[in-house]
Amino acid sequence: MADALSVIPAAVLRNLSDKLYEKRKNAALEVEGIVKQLAAAGDHDKITAVIKLLTTEFTYSPQSNHRKGGLIGLAAATVGLTTEAAQHLEQIVPPVLNSFSDQDSRVRYYACEALYNIAKVVRGDFIVFFNQIFDALCKLSADSDANVQSAAHLLDRLVKDIVTESDQFSIEEFIPLLRERMNVLNPYVRQFLVGWITVLDSVPDIDMLGFLPDFLDGLFNMLSDSSHEIRQQADSALSEFLQEIKNSPSVDYGRMAEILVQRAASPDEFTRLTAITWINEFVKLGGDQLVPYYADILGAILPCISDKEEKIRVVARETNEELRTIKADPAEGFEVGPILSIARRQLSSEFEATRIEALHWISTLLNRHRTEVLSYLNDIFDTLLKALSDPSDKVVLLVLEVHACIAKDPQHFRHLVVFLVHNFRVDNSLLEKRGALIIRRLCVLLDAERVYRELSTILEGESDLDFASIMVQALNLILLTSCELSELRNLLKQSLVNSSGKDLFVSLYASWCHSPMAIISLCLLAQTYQHASAVIQSLVEEDINVKFLVQLDKLIRLLETPIFAYLRLQLLEPGRYIWLLKALYGLLMLLPQQSAAFKILRTRLKTVPSNSFGGDQLKQSSSGNPYQILHHIQGGSQITEDGDINQDNKNSHNGINFVARLQQFEHMQHQHRLHAKSHVQSLGGAKT
């Protein structure tokens, strides 16, 4: 200190702390000259003493004018040192940096000015303090004083120039500092940071791309800034990096993919679009590197497929197709489970397009990695079953395709049908609204006979008799009306002459017993008219209720459709198909006379020709009632089943034990009657 006082006149020190800027400036010029002389003489001890004096007595003084003088003095000393300044920077720079956080805005301003002048002198030697200077500038960029901000911008530009021309700058040491500040929300700081990222990326010797994962999330954060300028700067920087990625032979796609996946779900539209665009490029470029991230990427893509913004939807769809074309193998680290988990989760999406694509992925995985997918079946099966209740028909049809693919294996087929029946049982609306669609589609995908046989086996032992009856009626209606089941109907028509038809008839009969009308329909379809007549005759008072009459009404109307054209043509030969006539008259007698169905059936029966009977059989009454024919036929030839007169009884029945079948039907109906009575009694007990 004494050395410094001996070389700097007291008047100079006094002026250095004067409140007038001019006096401080002149004093600083004096200090510059003194230091220059000391440097020329090589007296660095005295120079050190001068710097120490300026630091302790001035820059750290409680008096703001002293602090201002100290800063201008340190800058002047550096100018005086010129090429010798580097060896004294450890003393000069720290007190200046400390002044950046001074409470007095003028002191902060002079600190900027002082460091600017110091940097101009030392240039590259200045780099050792870069991180501290960057930290200080970052804070000053958001300073409350406009003059300080302006001074900081000037200093910032100079520091950027120095860094770009220096070979001593350490990007490795700088990145942690940058990463810490990337999520700051202050717009001035954001502009400052983007400016530095852009400048450093422009330096050929600095590999900013290699460190992009460290600050990529921060850049994406800025895309939703309220300032248009900041959004534009961030977008420009990201566009430049994406171009570099396309041209780079080595990129760490994985870490960045994790960031992009998060950003693809951003509430900000521009951020989502940018993220999905990056993901699109990554899928095209990344190849095997992205295998561990396929599930995450898919999780980002699927919601975007239904985005409200068309641009995002277009890019998402393209990316989805691109990802699906990549045929990774489990042996290469590709995991089916996570992708299935994502697809299962997206089946709950509120958007149809996303649910459809999720199903396409499950289908794709089933086709490519069937064994692996089936090992996760327990995780996805319930969700796939629930999807059968989806409000979209497209989704339901796709779900059925997936189910059908799974059900190629017998054990999974049984599993599917059991759970399907369970779903119909617990959700009556599913059966009502989607039952026909589901059953018809499954019959196309999995073979109608196989599906109906399995359903019949399950329903035969169904404990919920009310549900069994409703389900059988639904299946029967589908059987009678769906074009997809035409082959099944043709097979049933041959029940009396074909073993396959007989087996199917017997198989369905067991469960069709739950519904009298279903059994009668089945018999009419199988042309077992004598048995149909026997079933009708076996009905008792309790069977003929409103539900029965509603079902009967449907059947009468179905008899007028093309499906039963063969039956109506058989009425041209009443002598040969006497049991058909008897069965139809039996149905007529069960119908209320004022009902539309009664009039339809009576009108049809009136058209039965009488001239097809020969000899004594043709004794129709004057009333014109064809039913009189039945009386005359009874005494004629032995008829076992319609169309087979005087044939061997065993052959004509094709091995079907109709007596046992009738007992089976009567037993099941007895169970239903008991169930109905107990239900009524329980309701009565509840009321009391």
Side-chain angles (χ1 to χ4, degrees):
M1 188 75 73
D3 286 346
L5 292 172
S6 68
V7 296
I8 302 178
V12 172
L13 293 173
R14 194 164 49 249
N15 287 337
L16 198 59
S17 61
D18 197 274
K19 64 180 181 179
L20 295 174
Y21 172 73
E22 285 300 321
K23 286 188 177 183
R24 294 199 301 273
K25 183 179 178 183
N26 289 331
L29 290 172
E30 292 280 350
V31 171
E32 181 186 332
I34 292 167
V35 171
K36 192 177 289 185
Q37 289 175 359
L38 292 171
D43 195 346
H44 284 279
D45 288 339
K46 286 186 178 178
I47 294 171
T48 301
V50 168
I51 295 169
K52 188 176 182 183
L53 173 69
L54 292 170
T55 302
T56 56
E57 297 299 320
F58 287 85
T59 58
Y60 290 129
S61 168
Q63 301 296 321
S64 62
N65 287 333
H66 280 67
R67 298 199 295 276
K68 295 172 190 174
L71 290 166
I72 198 170
L74 287 173
T78 306
V79 173
L81 283 165
T82 59
T83 57
E84 306 284 324
Q87 59 187 297
H88 294 282
L89 285 179
E90 288 288 348
Q91 272 184 289
I92 296 169
V93 174
V96 179
L97 291 173
N98 181 67
S99 300
F100 280 142
S101 56
D102 199 282
Q103 290 184 343
D104 190 327
S105 63
R106 295 304 294 165
V107 173
R108 297 197 300 275
Y109 175 84
Y110 284 117
C112 290
E113 186 182 75
L115 198 57
Y116 182 88
N117 289 324
I118 293 166
K120 277 179 69 177
V121 173
V122 298
R123 303 297 293 186
D125 294 325
F126 188 66
I127 294 296
V128 293
F129 298 99
F130 175 77
N131 279 12
Q132 296 99 301
I133 293 166
F134 179 85
D135 187 43
L137 284 171
C138 189
K139 293 171 184 172
L140 290 178
S141 65
D143 199 276
S144 57
D145 189 285
N147 290 325
V148 175
Q149 275 196 33
S150 180
H153 289 158
L154 283 172
L155 174 59
D156 184 48
R157 282 201 290 272
L158 177 60
V159 176
K160 283 173 181 168
D161 288 342
I162 293 170
V163 168
T164 55
E165 67 188 27
S166 171
D167 58 0
Q168 298 177 43
F169 175 74
S170 172
I171 184 68
E172 291 82 2
E173 293 178 13
F174 168 67
I175 289 298
L177 198 67
L178 177 65
R179 186 173 57 232
E180 277 179 36
R181 286 154 183 76
M182 282 306 291
N183 290 320
V184 173
L185 299 178
N186 187 287
Y188 297 110
V189 174
R190 284 184 159 183
Q191 280 185 305
F192 171 80
L193 295 172
V194 177
W196 268 100
I197 290 169
T198 305
V199 166
L200 292 176
D201 189 46
S202 68
V203 180
D205 295 334
I206 297 176
D207 179 25
M208 283 294 279
L209 185 59
F211 293 96
L212 181 56
D214 290 288
F215 54 88
L216 180 65
D217 193 54
L219 280 175
F220 267 92
N221 241 340
M222 295 178 192
L223 290 175
S224 57
D225 196 278
S226 57
S227 164
H228 175 71
E229 188 176 356
I230 292 171
R231 292 199 303 273
Q232 205 169 38
Q233 287 176 341
D235 181 47
S236 178
L238 285 167
S239 298
E240 184 61 36
F241 278 119
L242 187 56
Q243 192 57 48
E244 289 175 34
I245 288 170
K246 292 178 185 177
N247 298 329
S248 175
S250 177
V251 177
D252 182 2
Y253 290 101
R255 282 180 63 199
M256 289 189 282
E258 293 177 6
I259 295 165
L260 297 173
V261 163
Q262 297 296 321
R263 291 297 165 184
S266 168
D268 178 68
E269 186 180 293
F270 186 44
T271 304
R272 290 199 308 279
L273 177 59
T274 307
I276 204 74
T277 301
W278 274 61
I279 290 173
N280 181 270
E281 293 295 342
F282 275 28
V283 170
K284 292 175 183 175
L285 299 167
D288 295 342
Q289 280 196 53
L290 289 174
V291 168
Y293 304 95
Y294 276 1
D296 291 338
I297 290 171
L298 185 63
I301 293 169
L302 290 179
C304 287
I305 282 172
S306 303
D307 200 277
K308 60 184 179 182
E309 174 55 46
E310 185 182 1
K311 289 179 184 176
I312 296 173
R313 293 199 301 271
V314 169
V315 179
R317 285 193 175 281
E318 182 186 319
T319 311
N320 185 53
E321 293 308 314
E322 192 76 33
L323 193 64
R324 200 168 9 234
T325 59
I326 300 172
K327 296 183 179 178
D329 193 90
E332 299 166 357
F334 175 74
E335 295 186 54
V336 169
I339 292 187
L340 274 178
S341 180
I342 290 291
R344 177 183 59 79
R345 198 179 313 142
Q346 292 302 328
L347 281 178
S348 302
S349 167
E350 61 180 303
F351 301 108
E352 179 189 58
T354 293
R355 299 196 301 276
I356 286 172
E357 287 308 318
L359 286 165
H360 279 147
W361 268 98
I362 295 173
S363 183
T364 299
L365 291 173
L366 267 169
N367 290 328
R368 291 181 187 170
H369 312 290
R370 182 178 181 82
T371 304
E372 288 81 0
V373 172
L374 292 181
S375 70
Y376 290 100
L377 192 57
N378 288 338
D379 297 333
I380 64 170
F381 199 76
D382 284 348
T383 305
L384 285 171
L385 283 170
K386 287 175 185 174
L388 290 170
S389 304
D390 197 278
S392 162
D393 283 354
K394 285 184 181 178
V395 171
V396 172
L397 290 172
L398 275 172
V399 172
L400 289 169
E401 285 187 24
V402 171
H403 276 302
C405 190
I406 294 170
K408 286 177 182 175
D409 299 336
Q411 72 271 29
H412 295 308
F413 174 78
R414 170 76 180 176
H415 196 193
L416 168 63
V417 181
V418 167
F419 271 89
L420 188 59
V421 171
H422 171 74
N423 269 23
F424 284 145
R425 186 189 303 110
V426 297
D427 183 4
N428 289 333
S429 64
L430 178 64
L431 179 60
E432 183 183 337
K433 296 174 184 176
R434 288 284 167 69
L437 176 71
I438 292 170
I439 299 299
R440 287 167 60 188
R441 189 62 186 157
L442 276 182
C443 285
V444 170
L445 295 168
L446 289 172
D447 177 62
E449 183 177 350
R450 186 184 178 201
V451 171
Y452 261 71
R453 280 178 178 273
E454 192 66 43
L455 284 167
S456 181
T457 301
I458 294 166
L459 290 170
E460 182 184 355
E462 175 61 49
S463 58
D464 185 341
L465 296 181
D466 290 334
F467 165 71
S469 178
I470 293 168
M471 184 77 193
V472 164
Q473 286 166 21
L475 290 173
N476 185 62
L477 187 61
I478 296 166
L479 174 65
L480 295 178
T481 58
S482 301
C483 58
E484 294 91 341
L485 275 76
S486 59
E487 290 185 14
L488 205 62
R489 290 194 294 272
N490 289 336
L491 186 58
L492 281 167
K493 286 176 188 176
Q494 301 173 49
S495 296
L496 294 174
V497 295
N498 179 296
S499 59
S500 297
K502 177 203 77 172
D503 289 344
L504 178 59
F505 174 80
V506 172
S507 174
L508 296 186
Y509 194 101
S511 60
W512 259 236
C513 285
H514 283 294
S515 166
M517 197 46 58
I519 280 290
I520 294 167
S521 303
L522 183 67
C523 291
L524 293 179
L525 189 61
Q527 302 186 72
T528 57
Y529 302 134
Q530 183 178 2
H531 188 65
S533 180
V535 167
I536 294 167
Q537 295 288 340
S538 74
L539 295 175
V540 298
E541 180 186 341
E542 293 99 314
D543 296 330
I544 306 167
N545 51 33
V546 173
K547 289 180 182 178
F548 175 85
L549 293 174
V550 169
Q551 291 294 313
L552 180 53
D553 184 279
K554 286 182 183 177
L555 176 60
I556 300 306
R557 293 174 192 277
L558 281 171
L559 291 176
E560 297 298 312
T561 64
I563 288 169
F564 281 105
Y566 71 92
L567 182 147
R568 298 195 300 275
L569 289 172
Q570 287 170 349
L571 291 175
L572 292 171
E573 301 179 79
R576 187 179 179 194
Y577 294 98
I578 193 69
W579 289 112
L580 170 59
L581 267 174
K582 188 169 183 178
L584 293 178
Y585 270 102
L587 294 178
L588 186 69
M589 295 307 152
L590 295 177
L591 285 165
Q593 288 192 53
Q594 300 306 313
S595 67
F598 179 88
K599 293 170 184 175
I600 291 170
L601 183 55
R602 185 180 61 177
T603 302
R604 175 60 65 185
L605 289 171
K606 278 184 177 179
T607 63
V608 174
S610 58
N611 59 7
S612 61
F613 293 93
D616 294 337
Q617 292 176 344
L618 190 56
K619 295 178 181 177
Q620 191 170 359
S621 70
S622 59
S623 65
N625 183 358
Y627 193 68
Q628 189 105 25
I629 298 165
L630 300 176
H631 172 71
H632 298 292
I633 288 293
Q634 299 293 325
S637 305
Q638 181 190 357
I639 302 177
T640 56
E641 271 292 350
D642 285 351
D644 292 296
I645 302 176
N646 293 327
Q647 296 293 315
D648 181 83
N649 193 43
K650 185 182 290 185
N651 291 335
S652 67
H653 285 71
N654 195 22
I656 301 174
N657 187 338
F658 284 111
V659 173
R661 296 285 79 77
L662 186 60
Q663 289 173 348
Q664 186 179 19
F665 170 72
E666 289 175 339
H667 174 73
M668 183 63 77
Q669 287 307 300
H670 179 65
Q671 296 298 317
H672 275 269
R673 287 192 287 273
L674 289 177
H675 170 73
K677 285 178 182 177
S678 65
H679 181 66
V680 170
Q681 288 171 358
S682 65
L683 287 176
K687 288 178 182 178
T688 58

